[in-house]
Amino acid sequence: MLEQTVAEGHISRFSDTAFTVLIEDLSSKALVDLAESIRRHISDMLIEVDKRTTSTTVSIGIVKIESNAAEPQVLFDRAVDAINHIRVETANQGNAYHLYDPSEHANSDDSALAEYLVSAITHNRFELFFQPIYDINQDRSDFFEVYLRLPLADAENTVLTPDKFMTVAKTHHLREKIDRWILINACKQLNEVRKTHPEARVLIQLTSASLVDKKLPSVAGQLIKAVGGVSGALTLQFNEQDVANHLTIAKSQFAALSDIGCKIGIHNFGTSAKSIEIAEFVAPDMTRLARDYVNEINKPDNLEAIKSLIVRTNELNIDVLMPYIEEAATMSVSWSVGAR
């Protein structure tokens, strides 16, 4: 029956009553339709065995092998997972099919997450959120920090933050592509907003993959032109540790970005014993304080440390952004210690 139903496929007995079918160039819908056709044909069969008539059913686990697919053993494991899913869903009755969806397993399977990341880049499944930043000096909030989120198609409607998927992205060399996706899509939205709010600007965090990418100034320059060519419309920020790890490259990269009107920031600032020296060497336009400073701001010793760090940073003509402000008292303190 399999040979008749899947004439174009490669069919083999896997073990006992388990068979595998390899078939090329079918969409997810076509695969599901084929599985239903096989299921229906086999369940409708009347099988003559000796002098008796009997019937049987089939359970079909479907796994797509994409260009970025996992190792063969992982694919087999997924096929088994798909069959086990049917067993659970049908209380061991079978006579069903299930298509393995990497997005449903991305929270627990690194290979599935890597595939889902590729799909998210290709099919725009990421989401961007924009947090307004209040400028004390100018009393305005038209500067927006961009946050990346990855919604999963699981039963819990999980949404992943970058700290949950960037390690996998790094392993599979996807960070540069994710950075590029953020840049392009954030600037698209900025361009729309600037039609009615021409002073709008964005602050975008990128990874070390972009910090060392020689093409970054060219890409940023094109995007700045696309949003009106205004200097300061785009600010790119990098982690202080990444900057420290690539000091010479960061200095030349920051200079090249500055030449095209792109502002530069360092986030998680103040975590190194040489934070001021790093800032002086690479000359960013802005630093964004590490969270610990704000969490402990009510402690006198920590308040003095913040004051000293901000004063020394301001002396280099570098603005200081104080994040994670949750209450009015912290806002008042940030004003008093010199954060912009």
Side-chain angles (χ1 to χ4, degrees):
M1 176 56 71
L2 287 174
E3 287 175 344
Q4 292 173 16
T5 313
V6 197
E8 300 300 318
H10 304 275
I11 303 162
S12 63
R13 184 187 296 274
F14 186 65
S15 65
D16 300 327
T17 57
F19 293 81
T20 60
V21 178
L22 289 174
I23 187 164
E24 294 182 282
D25 300 328
L26 288 187
S27 66
S28 295
K29 184 180 185 306
L31 283 169
V32 167
D33 290 344
L34 176 61
E36 171 57 17
S37 174
I38 295 171
R39 184 205 65 77
R40 188 176 63 253
H41 274 92
I42 291 180
S43 65
D44 289 346
M45 285 173 60
L46 295 177
I47 306 168
E48 299 298 327
V49 181
D50 199 7
K51 295 180 181 180
R52 299 178 56 194
T53 301
T54 186
S55 62
T56 189
T57 61
V58 64
S59 294
I60 305 171
I62 311 167
V63 177
K64 293 187 72 175
I65 306 176
E66 308 274 16
S67 58
N68 61 310
E71 296 297 315
Q73 184 57 51
V74 173
L75 296 174
F76 275 120
D77 290 343
R78 291 178 180 179
V80 174
D81 286 343
I83 295 296
N84 288 334
H85 178 90
I86 293 170
R87 288 184 177 133
V88 172
E89 289 296 307
T90 65
N92 283 322
Q93 295 302 304
N95 195 25
Y97 61 83
H98 178 71
L99 173 64
Y100 182 96
D101 183 352
S103 68
E104 295 177 357
H105 302 266
N107 215 9
S108 57
D109 180 341
D110 284 357
S111 295
L113 176 55
E115 289 175 49
Y116 190 61
L117 286 171
V118 172
S119 176
I121 295 167
T122 306
H123 301 291
N124 293 318
R125 292 197 172 108
F126 288 110
E127 291 183 351
L128 294 178
F129 291 84
F130 296 79
Q131 171 70 48
I133 301 170
Y134 176 66
D135 187 329
I136 288 175
N137 290 6
Q138 298 185 11
D139 188 25
R140 58 197 307 167
S141 301
D142 45 22
F143 189 28
F144 297 87
E145 185 164 13
V146 180
Y147 291 87
L148 181 69
R149 297 293 182 263
L150 178 63
L152 301 183
D154 58 4
E156 293 78 26
N157 293 317
T158 306
V159 177
L160 298 183
T161 52
D163 60 300
K164 303 296 184 185
F165 60 78
M166 276 303 184
T167 300
V168 171
K170 181 178 181 180
T171 302
H172 290 80
H173 310 290
L174 295 172
R175 293 183 305 159
E176 185 179 335
K177 292 181 180 178
I178 293 173
D179 282 352
R180 194 67 56 86
W181 188 95
I182 298 169
L183 270 172
I184 292 171
N185 286 277
C187 286
K188 279 182 180 177
Q189 295 199 40
L190 175 64
N191 190 47
E192 287 301 310
V193 171
R194 284 177 65 89
K195 291 176 181 177
T196 52
H197 298 83
E199 299 300 317
R201 300 170 291 140
V202 290
L203 172 66
I204 301 175
Q205 177 178 325
L206 299 179
T207 68
S208 60
S210 291
L211 180 62
V212 300
D213 179 10
K214 293 180 179 179
K215 296 178 182 177
L216 180 62
S218 173
V219 173
Q222 292 173 19
L223 291 171
I224 289 171
K225 289 179 182 177
V227 297
V230 179
S231 176
L234 176 64
T235 302
L236 303 180
Q237 62 174 344
F238 300 91
N239 187 287
E240 182 180 79
Q241 189 58 56
D242 290 337
V243 173
N245 291 342
H246 306 281
L247 263 181
T248 305
I249 294 174
K251 183 178 178 65
S252 61
Q253 189 81 300
F254 285 13
L257 288 166
S258 181
D259 287 343
I260 59 167
C262 181
K263 300 292 185 182
I264 300 296
I266 297 177
H267 70 90
N268 208 33
F269 184 71
T271 54
S272 165
K274 296 185 176 181
S275 294
I276 294 297
E277 288 86 345
I278 291 170
E280 185 173 17
F281 184 74
V282 298
D285 300 283
M286 173 187 298
T287 60
R288 184 182 187 276
L289 292 181
R291 184 166 199 159
D292 288 349
Y293 284 102
V294 185
N295 289 347
E296 305 291 329
I297 201 168
N298 292 323
K299 296 181 179 179
D301 289 348
N302 201 54
L303 183 59
E304 288 305 312
I306 291 176
K307 280 184 180 179
S308 174
L309 181 63
I310 292 177
V311 166
R312 294 176 68 192
T313 306
N314 285 342
E315 286 173 350
L316 299 174
N317 294 317
I318 299 171
D319 288 326
V320 178
L321 190 158
M322 186 178 287
Y324 309 109
I325 295 176
E326 304 291 346
E327 51 192 33
T330 310
M331 173 68 88
S332 177
V333 171
S334 70
W335 176 294
S336 68
V337 295
R340 179 170 176 182

